[in-house]
Amino acid sequence: MRGRMMRGLRGLRRRASALDRDAGMVTSEYAMGLIAAVGFAGLLYKVVTSGQVKAALQALVEKALDVPF
């Protein structure tokens, strides 16, 4: 019985240490994620500030403000 309990505890420790090693991102993964997020933000900014989208947003706001009460 005691041997079985010790093997179970060792297995738990092994699994817990494996979880600790995989927790979070390493610096290179963090940097790549940050670069991707900045690139996506830049692309989104370009799309939103383009002429067509800017005109559509402006028309939407003007239509919303022109609603009679």
Side-chain angles (χ1 to χ4, degrees):
M1 178 96 171
R2 182 181 163 118
R4 178 186 265 171
M5 190 168 73
M6 292 304 287
R7 280 194 304 268
L9 287 175
R10 273 187 249 135
L12 281 174
R13 267 191 244 134
R14 203 175 309 123
R15 279 181 265 162
S17 69
L19 288 174
D20 286 343
R21 284 180 287 182
D22 291 338
M25 294 190 296
V26 294
T27 305
S28 60
E29 291 171 333
Y30 183 76
M32 292 303 294
L34 185 62
I35 289 169
V38 169
F40 182 71
L43 178 66
L44 189 60
Y45 176 77
K46 281 292 193 185
V47 168
V48 170
T49 57
S50 70
Q52 289 178 324
V53 175
K54 193 182 261 187
L57 288 174
Q58 186 174 356
L60 184 70
V61 170
E62 287 173 359
K63 185 177 178 183
L65 291 175
D66 196 34
V67 175
F69 287 99

